Amino acid sequence: TGTLILLLLAVLDYRSEVAEADRMAVPVPVLLPVAEWDPRAQSLLAWAEVAILRDHTYLKASSYGHHAVRSLLDAGRISLFLDGFDEIPQPLRTLALRRIDEETGQRIVLASRITEYGLAVARGALAHTAVIDLRPVGTKAAADYLLNGLTGRRRDVWRRFIDRLSAEPTSAVAVALGTPLALSLVKKVYAEHNDPAVLFDPVEFATPDRVIRHLISAALPAAYPDPAAREAAQRFLVWIAKKMSQRQLQDLAWWRIRYWTLPWLPPVAASFLFGLLGLLIGVFTQSTPFGVVFGTAWFVCAATTSAVIVVRGAKRLVSLRGMLPRLAVAVGLGLMFGGGVVLVRLLASGLDGGVGVSAGFGVLFGVLFGVTSGALVGLVALHDGPLVSRVRRPSRGDLAAGVMTGGMTGIATMPLSNALVQTAIAIVGGVGFTITVAWTRPAPHPQDEVNALTSYQGDRRGGAVFSIVAGLFSGLGIGVGAAVALGAERGILIGAASAVAAGVAGAVSASQVVAFRLVTAPLVFAGRLPRRPMAVLADAYERQILRQVGTTYQFRHSELQDYLSSLPG
């Protein structure tokens, strides 16, 4: 990454020195994190256009035109400096190279670790490519780096170490310190304590690999001098590293941890609330046998449907975005919303035929409500990115989804004889859904928020707003319908129960924070994870064990991730 940035700066310097009349012929270099690109879904230029507009919002100005960036790309006026090719999931790297090769006429610089690049090109090499390997760090450059910022006795210790490096250039430690990784680690581990000359031990550090292995293993003790703090942090970091390595990930997006362990737990918890609501509806309408069967069937069908959707989606790395999933949720929510009002009205009129008939109707409605609500919970749970809690004017897409919800609610409540109540409930459903999706939408570009902690806090606020708004409108709509059929007292009870169930279940499904805390709770209780995992990640970033790009964490060195993933835990 550092080399790529230096190359980019050199290109900009060169461009500034070209005569002004010829400068337009020299492309402007743009640095992009290529690991974000999915070559299965987009061409390189289509992705680059979106990424450049995201990072350089001034190019959206109407004076430049709607397709300014794509025009610059097509004309060869931009050169792409793509960082982190080795962070693309391994199965996609060869495809990514083929997609890059399709962009003839484009000037592209690609940065990667040598091994990962070699494996990818073995199956499909890039045409017309100059491959440049990094040379080992020279002694003078290493000395300047290691001595920078040191004074007094510590500078003398390091001066003697550097002199010995120069005198023994073929030693294992000298060869190992020819890489930026080893240099940064040796300075971190020995900067303030002990003598780095111990690395010249020919027995303990006989090979460069053993030197680097030692430095990597010493990085955590150097960052966490207190043994208790180190033990707690290492337990969590080892767990994180293992999960990332199993999934061939370099980026740690905190909101995706919910899919790493017990991904079925949040939808099952939401389904339990729906089942409990079904039982209460039966009790409040004096149809307890119906309520018991209805609530049980609702819970079982909802839990099964939602868990299957989430588990399969997580396994296939499915992330639902855009208008189509939102409209699907709007349709299903409207049908359930209106169906709930009709059901209460049906129960108010009485179910003739005894316990057997009540149980039969309970199974029928439980399956219908369970499958529908399970599909809704599953779809909502698969959205990618933390929620953005912000009061804003609804967009056209929000309004379209709200109209869909209101329309489906109206259709579902058609069996009601009171057209006024039917219309009122449809309006409540439509307005409620519009406001909910407008105020608590998922982040359009979750990696690009300010940092991980602010996105976490934003999602936590979004979950609270989602719970309050969705619960309020759900309780209001169903409560009004119940009050008309059963009277004000029981209408209030059913409305309150619906508000709590819909609000909490919605927050469990939509909020990444709630789902994250829910799936990690058993591991926290067992002592395998810390009670405040985000605080540990933030602390690891401050101690330079992790680095942060937007809201995404990465281990400071990929070798450190590999080392931690190899530890027991």
Side-chain angles (χ1 to χ4, degrees), residues 432-494:
F433 191 71
T434 300
I435 293 177
T436 301
V437 297
W439 290 1
T440 61
R441 68 198 186 285
H445 302 291
Q447 289 88 351
D448 302 322
E449 300 295 311
V450 178
N451 57 51
L453 201 55
T454 56
S455 69
Y456 183 89
Q457 294 167 343
D459 182 274
R460 188 165 55 192
R461 290 192 302 271
V465 172
F466 191 104
S467 181
I468 293 170
V469 175
L472 178 64
F473 280 95
S474 298
L476 180 61
I478 296 177
V480 167
V484 172
L486 300 169
E489 183 177 348
R490 283 193 284 174
I492 292 173
L493 290 175
I494 291 176

Short mmCIF file of all heavy atoms in Angstrom, two decimals, residues 432-494:
data_model
loop_
_atom_site.label_atom_id
_atom_site.label_comp_id
_atom_site.label_asym_id
_atom_site.label_seq_id
_atom_site.Cartn_x
_atom_site.Cartn_y
_atom_site.Cartn_z
N GLY A 432 -46.74 4.37 8.37
CA GLY A 432 -45.80 3.78 9.31
C GLY A 432 -44.60 3.16 8.61
O GLY A 432 -43.45 3.39 9.01
N PHE A 433 -44.84 2.43 7.53
CA PHE A 433 -43.73 1.80 6.82
C PHE A 433 -42.87 2.85 6.12
O PHE A 433 -41.64 2.75 6.10
CB PHE A 433 -44.25 0.79 5.80
CG PHE A 433 -43.17 -0.08 5.21
CD1 PHE A 433 -42.56 -1.05 5.97
CD2 PHE A 433 -42.77 0.08 3.90
CE1 PHE A 433 -41.55 -1.86 5.44
CE2 PHE A 433 -41.77 -0.72 3.35
CZ PHE A 433 -41.16 -1.69 4.13
N THR A 434 -43.51 3.87 5.55
CA THR A 434 -42.75 4.93 4.88
C THR A 434 -41.80 5.62 5.84
O THR A 434 -40.62 5.82 5.54
CB THR A 434 -43.72 5.97 4.28
OG1 THR A 434 -44.57 5.34 3.33
CG2 THR A 434 -42.95 7.09 3.59
N ILE A 435 -42.30 5.99 7.01
CA ILE A 435 -41.46 6.68 7.99
C ILE A 435 -40.35 5.77 8.51
O ILE A 435 -39.20 6.18 8.67
CB ILE A 435 -42.32 7.21 9.15
CG1 ILE A 435 -43.26 8.32 8.64
CG2 ILE A 435 -41.45 7.74 10.28
CD1 ILE A 435 -44.20 8.85 9.68
N THR A 436 -40.69 4.50 8.75
CA THR A 436 -39.70 3.56 9.28
C THR A 436 -38.52 3.40 8.33
O THR A 436 -37.36 3.50 8.74
CB THR A 436 -40.35 2.19 9.55
OG1 THR A 436 -41.42 2.34 10.49
CG2 THR A 436 -39.33 1.22 10.13
N VAL A 437 -38.79 3.16 7.04
CA VAL A 437 -37.68 2.94 6.10
C VAL A 437 -36.96 4.24 5.79
O VAL A 437 -35.77 4.23 5.44
CB VAL A 437 -38.18 2.28 4.80
CG1 VAL A 437 -38.75 0.92 5.08
CG2 VAL A 437 -39.18 3.15 4.07
N ALA A 438 -37.66 5.38 5.90
CA ALA A 438 -37.00 6.66 5.63
C ALA A 438 -36.04 7.04 6.76
O ALA A 438 -34.95 7.56 6.51
CB ALA A 438 -38.04 7.76 5.45
N TRP A 439 -36.43 6.77 7.98
CA TRP A 439 -35.63 7.20 9.14
C TRP A 439 -34.60 6.18 9.59
O TRP A 439 -33.66 6.54 10.33
CB TRP A 439 -36.55 7.53 10.31
CG TRP A 439 -37.38 8.77 10.08
CD1 TRP A 439 -37.38 9.57 8.98
CD2 TRP A 439 -38.32 9.34 10.99
NE1 TRP A 439 -38.27 10.60 9.13
CE2 TRP A 439 -38.87 10.49 10.36
CE3 TRP A 439 -38.78 9.00 12.26
CZ2 TRP A 439 -39.84 11.28 10.96
CZ3 TRP A 439 -39.74 9.79 12.86
CH2 TRP A 439 -40.26 10.93 12.22
N THR A 440 -34.75 4.93 9.23
CA THR A 440 -33.83 3.89 9.72
C THR A 440 -33.37 2.99 8.59
O THR A 440 -33.41 1.77 8.70
CB THR A 440 -34.51 3.03 10.81
OG1 THR A 440 -35.66 2.39 10.25
CG2 THR A 440 -34.94 3.86 11.99
N ARG A 441 -32.93 3.57 7.50
CA ARG A 441 -32.48 2.76 6.35
C ARG A 441 -31.07 2.24 6.60
O ARG A 441 -30.29 2.86 7.33
CB ARG A 441 -32.50 3.61 5.09
CG ARG A 441 -31.46 4.70 5.08
CD ARG A 441 -31.76 5.77 4.06
NE ARG A 441 -30.68 6.75 3.97
CZ ARG A 441 -30.45 7.70 4.86
NH1 ARG A 441 -31.22 7.79 5.94
NH2 ARG A 441 -29.46 8.55 4.70
N PRO A 442 -30.71 1.12 5.97
CA PRO A 442 -29.32 0.66 6.04
C PRO A 442 -28.39 1.64 5.32
O PRO A 442 -28.78 2.28 4.35
CB PRO A 442 -29.35 -0.69 5.31
CG PRO A 442 -30.78 -1.11 5.31
CD PRO A 442 -31.58 0.16 5.28
N ALA A 443 -27.15 1.74 5.80
CA ALA A 443 -26.17 2.63 5.17
C ALA A 443 -25.93 2.20 3.72
O ALA A 443 -25.69 1.02 3.47
CB ALA A 443 -24.86 2.59 5.94
N PRO A 444 -26.04 3.12 2.75
CA PRO A 444 -25.83 2.73 1.35
C PRO A 444 -24.41 2.25 1.07
O PRO A 444 -24.18 1.39 0.23
CB PRO A 444 -26.15 4.01 0.58
CG PRO A 444 -26.00 5.12 1.57
CD PRO A 444 -26.36 4.54 2.89
N HIS A 445 -23.43 2.82 1.78
CA HIS A 445 -22.03 2.39 1.64
C HIS A 445 -21.47 2.19 3.04
O HIS A 445 -20.78 3.06 3.58
CB HIS A 445 -21.21 3.43 0.87
CG HIS A 445 -21.75 3.72 -0.50
ND1 HIS A 445 -21.70 2.81 -1.52
CD2 HIS A 445 -22.36 4.83 -0.99
CE1 HIS A 445 -22.26 3.34 -2.61
NE2 HIS A 445 -22.67 4.55 -2.31
N PRO A 446 -21.76 1.02 3.67
CA PRO A 446 -21.44 0.85 5.09
C PRO A 446 -19.98 0.97 5.43
O PRO A 446 -19.63 1.39 6.52
CB PRO A 446 -21.95 -0.58 5.39
CG PRO A 446 -22.07 -1.25 4.06
CD PRO A 446 -22.40 -0.17 3.09
N GLN A 447 -19.08 0.65 4.47
CA GLN A 447 -17.65 0.72 4.77
C GLN A 447 -17.15 2.16 4.88
O GLN A 447 -16.05 2.40 5.39
CB GLN A 447 -16.83 0.00 3.69
CG GLN A 447 -16.97 -1.51 3.72
CD GLN A 447 -18.14 -2.00 2.88
OE1 GLN A 447 -18.95 -1.21 2.41
NE2 GLN A 447 -18.25 -3.30 2.71
N ASP A 448 -17.94 3.11 4.41
CA ASP A 448 -17.43 4.47 4.25
C ASP A 448 -17.94 5.45 5.30
O ASP A 448 -17.82 6.65 5.11
CB ASP A 448 -17.78 4.99 2.85
CG ASP A 448 -17.23 4.08 1.78
OD1 ASP A 448 -16.12 3.57 1.97
OD2 ASP A 448 -17.90 3.88 0.77
N GLU A 449 -18.53 4.95 6.36
CA GLU A 449 -18.89 5.84 7.46
C GLU A 449 -17.60 6.35 8.13
O GLU A 449 -16.50 5.96 7.77
CB GLU A 449 -19.77 5.10 8.46
CG GLU A 449 -21.08 4.58 7.86
CD GLU A 449 -22.00 5.69 7.40
OE1 GLU A 449 -22.23 6.63 8.17
OE2 GLU A 449 -22.49 5.61 6.26
N VAL A 450 -17.75 7.19 9.12
CA VAL A 450 -16.57 7.83 9.74
C VAL A 450 -15.64 6.78 10.33
O VAL A 450 -14.45 6.74 10.01
CB VAL A 450 -17.02 8.84 10.81
CG1 VAL A 450 -15.81 9.45 11.48
CG2 VAL A 450 -17.89 9.92 10.19
N ASN A 451 -16.14 5.92 11.18
CA ASN A 451 -15.35 4.84 11.74
C ASN A 451 -16.28 3.77 12.28
O ASN A 451 -17.51 3.93 12.28
CB ASN A 451 -14.37 5.32 12.82
CG ASN A 451 -15.08 6.05 13.95
OD1 ASN A 451 -16.04 5.57 14.52
ND2 ASN A 451 -14.59 7.25 14.27
N ALA A 452 -15.70 2.68 12.76
CA ALA A 452 -16.52 1.54 13.20
C ALA A 452 -17.39 1.91 14.39
O ALA A 452 -18.57 1.51 14.47
CB ALA A 452 -15.61 0.37 13.54
N LEU A 453 -16.84 2.67 15.33
CA LEU A 453 -17.58 2.99 16.55
C LEU A 453 -18.78 3.89 16.24
O LEU A 453 -19.87 3.69 16.80
CB LEU A 453 -16.65 3.66 17.56
CG LEU A 453 -17.10 3.61 19.02
CD1 LEU A 453 -17.33 2.18 19.46
CD2 LEU A 453 -16.05 4.27 19.92
N THR A 454 -18.62 4.88 15.37
CA THR A 454 -19.75 5.75 15.05
C THR A 454 -20.84 4.99 14.29
O THR A 454 -22.03 5.24 14.49
CB THR A 454 -19.30 6.96 14.22
OG1 THR A 454 -18.64 6.51 13.03
CG2 THR A 454 -18.37 7.85 15.00
N SER A 455 -20.45 4.06 13.43
CA SER A 455 -21.46 3.27 12.72
C SER A 455 -22.19 2.36 13.69
O SER A 455 -23.40 2.11 13.56
CB SER A 455 -20.82 2.45 11.60
OG SER A 455 -20.01 1.42 12.11
N TYR A 456 -21.48 1.83 14.68
CA TYR A 456 -22.09 1.00 15.71
C TYR A 456 -23.11 1.80 16.51
O TYR A 456 -24.25 1.36 16.75
CB TYR A 456 -20.99 0.44 16.62
CG TYR A 456 -21.45 -0.50 17.70
CD1 TYR A 456 -21.53 -1.87 17.45
CD2 TYR A 456 -21.75 -0.05 18.97
CE1 TYR A 456 -21.93 -2.75 18.44
CE2 TYR A 456 -22.15 -0.91 19.97
CZ TYR A 456 -22.24 -2.27 19.71
OH TYR A 456 -22.63 -3.14 20.70
N GLN A 457 -22.71 3.00 16.92
CA GLN A 457 -23.62 3.85 17.69
C GLN A 457 -24.81 4.29 16.84
O GLN A 457 -25.93 4.38 17.34
CB GLN A 457 -22.85 5.07 18.21
CG GLN A 457 -21.78 4.71 19.24
CD GLN A 457 -20.81 5.84 19.51
OE1 GLN A 457 -20.72 6.80 18.73
NE2 GLN A 457 -20.06 5.75 20.59
N GLY A 458 -24.56 4.57 15.55
CA GLY A 458 -25.65 4.95 14.66
C GLY A 458 -26.65 3.83 14.49
O GLY A 458 -27.87 4.07 14.49
N ASP A 459 -26.17 2.61 14.36
CA ASP A 459 -27.08 1.48 14.23
C ASP A 459 -27.87 1.26 15.51
O ASP A 459 -29.06 0.92 15.47
CB ASP A 459 -26.29 0.22 13.88
CG ASP A 459 -27.19 -1.00 13.70
OD1 ASP A 459 -27.51 -1.67 14.70
OD2 ASP A 459 -27.58 -1.27 12.55
N ARG A 460 -27.22 1.48 16.65
CA ARG A 460 -27.93 1.32 17.93
C ARG A 460 -29.08 2.33 18.03
O ARG A 460 -30.18 1.99 18.47
CB ARG A 460 -26.95 1.49 19.08
CG ARG A 460 -27.52 1.16 20.44
CD ARG A 460 -26.41 1.01 21.46
NE ARG A 460 -25.56 2.20 21.52
CZ ARG A 460 -24.40 2.25 22.15
NH1 ARG A 460 -23.93 1.18 22.77
NH2 ARG A 460 -23.69 3.35 22.17
N ARG A 461 -28.82 3.57 17.61
CA ARG A 461 -29.90 4.56 17.58
C ARG A 461 -30.97 4.16 16.58
O ARG A 461 -32.17 4.29 16.84
CB ARG A 461 -29.34 5.94 17.22
CG ARG A 461 -28.49 6.59 18.28
CD ARG A 461 -28.24 8.06 17.96
NE ARG A 461 -27.60 8.22 16.66
CZ ARG A 461 -26.29 8.23 16.47
NH1 ARG A 461 -25.48 8.08 17.50
NH2 ARG A 461 -25.78 8.41 15.27
N GLY A 462 -30.52 3.67 15.41
CA GLY A 462 -31.47 3.26 14.38
C GLY A 462 -32.36 2.13 14.86
O GLY A 462 -33.56 2.10 14.56
N GLY A 463 -31.79 1.18 15.60
CA GLY A 463 -32.59 0.09 16.14
C GLY A 463 -33.66 0.59 17.11
O GLY A 463 -34.79 0.10 17.10
N ALA A 464 -33.29 1.57 17.94
CA ALA A 464 -34.27 2.14 18.88
C ALA A 464 -35.38 2.86 18.14
O ALA A 464 -36.58 2.70 18.46
CB ALA A 464 -33.56 3.08 19.85
N VAL A 465 -35.01 3.67 17.13
CA VAL A 465 -36.02 4.39 16.34
C VAL A 465 -36.92 3.39 15.60
O VAL A 465 -38.14 3.54 15.56
CB VAL A 465 -35.34 5.35 15.35
CG1 VAL A 465 -36.37 5.96 14.40
CG2 VAL A 465 -34.60 6.45 16.10
N PHE A 466 -36.30 2.36 15.00
CA PHE A 466 -37.07 1.34 14.28
C PHE A 466 -38.08 0.70 15.22
O PHE A 466 -39.25 0.52 14.87
CB PHE A 466 -36.12 0.29 13.73
CG PHE A 466 -36.74 -0.67 12.76
CD1 PHE A 466 -36.52 -0.55 11.40
CD2 PHE A 466 -37.56 -1.70 13.20
CE1 PHE A 466 -37.11 -1.42 10.51
CE2 PHE A 466 -38.15 -2.58 12.32
CZ PHE A 466 -37.92 -2.44 10.96
N SER A 467 -37.63 0.33 16.42
CA SER A 467 -38.51 -0.33 17.38
C SER A 467 -39.68 0.56 17.77
O SER A 467 -40.84 0.13 17.81
CB SER A 467 -37.71 -0.72 18.62
OG SER A 467 -38.51 -1.37 19.56
N ILE A 468 -39.39 1.84 18.03
CA ILE A 468 -40.44 2.76 18.48
C ILE A 468 -41.44 3.06 17.36
O ILE A 468 -42.66 2.94 17.53
CB ILE A 468 -39.81 4.06 19.01
CG1 ILE A 468 -39.01 3.78 20.29
CG2 ILE A 468 -40.88 5.12 19.26
CD1 ILE A 468 -38.16 4.95 20.75
N VAL A 469 -40.92 3.44 16.18
CA VAL A 469 -41.81 3.83 15.08
C VAL A 469 -42.61 2.64 14.57
O VAL A 469 -43.84 2.72 14.43
CB VAL A 469 -40.99 4.47 13.93
CG1 VAL A 469 -41.90 4.77 12.74
CG2 VAL A 469 -40.32 5.75 14.42
N ALA A 470 -41.93 1.52 14.29
CA ALA A 470 -42.64 0.34 13.78
C ALA A 470 -43.63 -0.18 14.80
O ALA A 470 -44.76 -0.55 14.46
CB ALA A 470 -41.63 -0.74 13.39
N GLY A 471 -43.22 -0.21 16.07
CA GLY A 471 -44.12 -0.69 17.11
C GLY A 471 -45.33 0.22 17.28
O GLY A 471 -46.46 -0.25 17.42
N LEU A 472 -45.11 1.55 17.25
CA LEU A 472 -46.20 2.50 17.43
C LEU A 472 -47.26 2.35 16.35
O LEU A 472 -48.46 2.24 16.63
CB LEU A 472 -45.64 3.92 17.43
CG LEU A 472 -46.65 5.06 17.55
CD1 LEU A 472 -47.36 4.98 18.89
CD2 LEU A 472 -45.97 6.41 17.38
N PHE A 473 -46.82 2.31 15.08
CA PHE A 473 -47.79 2.22 14.00
C PHE A 473 -48.45 0.84 13.93
O PHE A 473 -49.64 0.73 13.60
CB PHE A 473 -47.12 2.57 12.66
CG PHE A 473 -46.96 4.03 12.44
CD1 PHE A 473 -45.78 4.69 12.77
CD2 PHE A 473 -48.01 4.79 11.92
CE1 PHE A 473 -45.64 6.05 12.57
CE2 PHE A 473 -47.87 6.16 11.72
CZ PHE A 473 -46.69 6.79 12.04
N SER A 474 -47.71 -0.21 14.23
CA SER A 474 -48.32 -1.55 14.25
C SER A 474 -49.37 -1.64 15.34
O SER A 474 -50.49 -2.14 15.11
CB SER A 474 -47.24 -2.62 14.47
OG SER A 474 -46.30 -2.63 13.42
N GLY A 475 -49.01 -1.17 16.52
CA GLY A 475 -49.98 -1.20 17.62
C GLY A 475 -51.19 -0.34 17.34
O GLY A 475 -52.33 -0.73 17.65
N LEU A 476 -50.97 0.82 16.70
CA LEU A 476 -52.09 1.73 16.40
C LEU A 476 -53.05 1.09 15.40
O LEU A 476 -54.28 1.08 15.61
CB LEU A 476 -51.55 3.04 15.84
CG LEU A 476 -52.58 4.11 15.48
CD1 LEU A 476 -53.36 4.53 16.72
CD2 LEU A 476 -51.89 5.32 14.86
N GLY A 477 -52.51 0.53 14.32
CA GLY A 477 -53.36 -0.04 13.29
C GLY A 477 -54.14 -1.24 13.78
O GLY A 477 -55.38 -1.31 13.63
N ILE A 478 -53.45 -2.19 14.38
CA ILE A 478 -54.13 -3.41 14.86
C ILE A 478 -55.02 -3.08 16.05
O ILE A 478 -56.12 -3.63 16.20
CB ILE A 478 -53.09 -4.48 15.22
CG1 ILE A 478 -52.34 -4.90 13.94
CG2 ILE A 478 -53.75 -5.69 15.85
CD1 ILE A 478 -51.23 -5.90 14.18
N GLY A 479 -54.58 -2.13 16.89
CA GLY A 479 -55.40 -1.75 18.05
C GLY A 479 -56.71 -1.11 17.64
O GLY A 479 -57.75 -1.37 18.25
N VAL A 480 -56.68 -0.25 16.61
CA VAL A 480 -57.93 0.37 16.13
C VAL A 480 -58.89 -0.70 15.62
O VAL A 480 -60.09 -0.69 15.94
CB VAL A 480 -57.61 1.40 15.03
CG1 VAL A 480 -58.90 1.82 14.31
CG2 VAL A 480 -56.93 2.62 15.62
N GLY A 481 -58.36 -1.63 14.81
CA GLY A 481 -59.21 -2.70 14.30
C GLY A 481 -59.78 -3.55 15.42
O GLY A 481 -60.97 -3.93 15.38
N ALA A 482 -58.96 -3.84 16.43
CA ALA A 482 -59.43 -4.65 17.55
C ALA A 482 -60.45 -3.89 18.39
O ALA A 482 -61.44 -4.47 18.88
CB ALA A 482 -58.24 -5.06 18.41
N ALA A 483 -60.25 -2.58 18.56
CA ALA A 483 -61.19 -1.79 19.36
C ALA A 483 -62.56 -1.74 18.71
O ALA A 483 -63.60 -1.80 19.41
CB ALA A 483 -60.64 -0.37 19.54
N VAL A 484 -62.62 -1.65 17.40
CA VAL A 484 -63.90 -1.63 16.69
C VAL A 484 -64.64 -2.95 16.89
O VAL A 484 -65.86 -2.99 17.06
CB VAL A 484 -63.69 -1.35 15.19
CG1 VAL A 484 -64.98 -1.53 14.41
CG2 VAL A 484 -63.15 0.06 14.99
N ALA A 485 -63.87 -4.07 16.88
CA ALA A 485 -64.49 -5.38 16.97
C ALA A 485 -64.76 -5.82 18.41
O ALA A 485 -65.76 -6.50 18.68
CB ALA A 485 -63.61 -6.42 16.28
N LEU A 486 -63.87 -5.42 19.35
CA LEU A 486 -63.93 -5.98 20.70
C LEU A 486 -64.15 -4.95 21.79
O LEU A 486 -64.29 -5.31 22.96
CB LEU A 486 -62.62 -6.72 21.00
CG LEU A 486 -62.27 -7.90 20.09
CD1 LEU A 486 -60.84 -8.34 20.33
CD2 LEU A 486 -63.23 -9.06 20.34
N GLY A 487 -64.13 -3.68 21.45
CA GLY A 487 -64.26 -2.65 22.45
C GLY A 487 -62.91 -2.04 22.78
O GLY A 487 -61.85 -2.61 22.48
N ALA A 488 -62.96 -0.87 23.41
CA ALA A 488 -61.76 -0.08 23.63
C ALA A 488 -60.76 -0.80 24.53
O ALA A 488 -59.54 -0.80 24.25
CB ALA A 488 -62.13 1.27 24.23
N GLU A 489 -61.22 -1.44 25.60
CA GLU A 489 -60.29 -2.03 26.58
C GLU A 489 -59.45 -3.13 25.94
O GLU A 489 -58.22 -3.13 26.03
CB GLU A 489 -61.07 -2.58 27.76
CG GLU A 489 -60.16 -3.14 28.86
CD GLU A 489 -60.96 -3.63 30.07
OE1 GLU A 489 -62.17 -3.34 30.16
OE2 GLU A 489 -60.36 -4.31 30.92
N ARG A 490 -60.13 -4.08 25.31
CA ARG A 490 -59.38 -5.18 24.69
C ARG A 490 -58.62 -4.71 23.45
O ARG A 490 -57.58 -5.25 23.10
CB ARG A 490 -60.31 -6.33 24.35
CG ARG A 490 -60.69 -7.14 25.60
CD ARG A 490 -61.35 -8.44 25.26
NE ARG A 490 -62.75 -8.24 24.85
CZ ARG A 490 -63.54 -9.19 24.39
NH1 ARG A 490 -63.06 -10.42 24.24
NH2 ARG A 490 -64.79 -8.95 24.06
N GLY A 491 -59.14 -3.69 22.79
CA GLY A 491 -58.41 -3.12 21.65
C GLY A 491 -57.08 -2.54 22.08
O GLY A 491 -56.07 -2.70 21.40
N ILE A 492 -57.07 -1.85 23.23
CA ILE A 492 -55.83 -1.28 23.76
C ILE A 492 -54.85 -2.38 24.13
O ILE A 492 -53.64 -2.29 23.84
CB ILE A 492 -56.12 -0.37 24.97
CG1 ILE A 492 -56.88 0.88 24.52
CG2 ILE A 492 -54.83 0.01 25.68
CD1 ILE A 492 -57.36 1.74 25.67
N LEU A 493 -55.36 -3.46 24.76
CA LEU A 493 -54.48 -4.56 25.14
C LEU A 493 -53.84 -5.23 23.92
O LEU A 493 -52.63 -5.48 23.88
CB LEU A 493 -55.27 -5.61 25.95
CG LEU A 493 -55.72 -5.19 27.35
CD1 LEU A 493 -56.60 -6.27 27.97
CD2 LEU A 493 -54.49 -4.95 28.24
N ILE A 494 -54.67 -5.50 22.92
CA ILE A 494 -54.14 -6.15 21.70
C ILE A 494 -53.19 -5.20 20.97
O ILE A 494 -52.14 -5.61 20.46
CB ILE A 494 -55.29 -6.60 20.78
CG1 ILE A 494 -56.05 -7.75 21.44
CG2 ILE A 494 -54.78 -6.99 19.40
CD1 ILE A 494 -57.27 -8.22 20.68
#
